[in-house]
Amino acid sequence: MEIPLIAQAAATAGIVLTVVQYWMKTMIPLRVVGIVTNVLFLIYAGLAGIWPTIVLNCIVLPLNLYRVHEMRQLIRRTQRAARSDLDMTWLQPFMTRRRTKKGQVIFRKGDIAEAMYLVVSGKFLLQEIGIGLEPGAVVGELGLLSPEGLRTATLISIDDGEVLSLAYEKFEELYYQNPEFGLGFLKLTSKRLFENIARLEAELATRPPRVAPTPSPMTRH
């Protein structure tokens, strides 16, 4: 059976794009090229009557489309969160669930920071600064930006609860897959950092000023 020229051209273009994919570093462009490649191979296989290739690309094409949609959704949610509130629940699909017991120390001040946490249930306390955390709160994400990579406070579980953890390695994987996500996340954490600074400044402003002790006559010259 003679293969039509258009089928041969589609197969050639598909092979070239397959090689190009191995050189690409960012996920969304890679997936888009993968989608085009799938379409080209479907054209080739459909005209040539090669059923295994048709079946393979009919399976892979929807997967590539879904992954592009998933990553674009992640980017949009990151950017929306950076512009508005500090809600990070959109990261749940990439996080690991962990149950905690009353009195359990999640991490201590000075520990190496390896993950951030989203509180699902229960109550938690950042011991050194006396801040309570309830469901929906995020803690530990600033460790990603710390030059020393160490925890700055101790996190304790006040009640039995549950948290979701996102390892920094997983964050880095998401970042390298798509830099737009990384930029949105950095804007989000920077916003939290500035809010923490503003809160501390407000607390300092409410404290009464310290009065320097009056020197005694014996110390005057």
Side-chain angles (χ1 to χ4, degrees):
M1 175 181 176
E2 185 178 351
I3 299 176
L5 288 177
I6 187 172
Q8 296 180 31
T12 302
I15 293 170
V16 171
L17 290 180
T18 300
V19 174
V20 169
Q21 288 181 67
Y22 286 96
W23 291 92
M24 302 181 71
K25 296 181 180 180
T26 53
M27 186 54 63
I28 288 183
L30 187 151
R31 293 287 185 181
V32 170
V33 172
I35 290 168
V36 176
T37 303
N38 295 147
V39 172
L40 290 171
F41 279 128
L42 280 172
I43 293 172
Y44 161 70
L47 293 173
I50 305 175
W51 285 102
T53 302
I54 293 174
V55 172
L56 173 63
N57 284 277
C58 282
I59 294 173
V60 175
L61 178 58
L63 291 176
N64 276 328
L65 289 169
Y66 174 74
R67 290 304 182 189
V68 169
H69 171 74
E70 184 181 51
M71 187 58 69
R72 293 194 66 83
Q73 284 284 92
L74 179 61
I75 293 169
R76 281 195 291 269
R77 290 171 182 171
T78 308
Q79 292 172 341
R80 184 166 61 248
R83 290 192 299 267
S84 55
D85 54 30
L86 296 173
D87 181 21
M88 294 188 186
T89 56
W90 40 266
L91 280 173
Q92 288 188 19
F94 304 94
M95 304 178 86
T96 302
R97 192 170 296 272
R98 173 181 173 184
R99 297 187 180 276
T100 63
K101 298 294 184 181
K102 181 178 180 179
Q104 180 179 347
V105 176
I106 310 304
F107 55 76
R108 297 184 183 276
K109 181 178 180 179
D111 286 351
I112 297 175
E114 297 179 339
M116 55 172 283
Y117 298 89
L118 171 67
V119 178
V120 177
S121 63
K123 294 182 179 180
F124 296 79
L125 176 69
L126 286 169
Q127 190 174 48
E128 287 78 7
I129 54 180
I131 295 180
L133 303 174
E134 296 186 349
V138 174
V139 61
E141 82 284 3
L142 294 180
L144 182 67
L145 306 178
S146 171
E148 296 82 12
L150 301 178
R151 299 293 187 190
T152 58
T154 300
L155 181 66
I156 299 176
S157 179
I158 305 301
D159 301 317
D160 290 352
E162 191 174 56
V163 296
L164 294 173
S165 65
L166 177 69
Y168 292 158
E169 290 182 358
K170 183 62 178 179
F171 168 83
E172 291 172 358
E173 179 183 333
L174 292 171
Y175 172 83
Y176 286 118
Q177 285 180 357
N178 200 303
E180 290 181 44
F181 162 75
L183 178 60
F185 191 88
L186 289 176
K187 288 181 179 179
L188 186 62
T189 52
S190 297
K191 181 179 178 181
R192 178 180 287 274
L193 180 60
F194 285 127
E195 289 189 356
N196 289 344
I197 292 173
R199 188 188 70 251
L200 292 174
E201 289 178 342
E203 290 178 0
L204 290 174
T206 60
R207 295 181 182 179
R210 295 182 60 183
V211 179
T214 304
S216 64
M218 295 296 293
T219 60
R220 294 177 180 174
H221 296 284

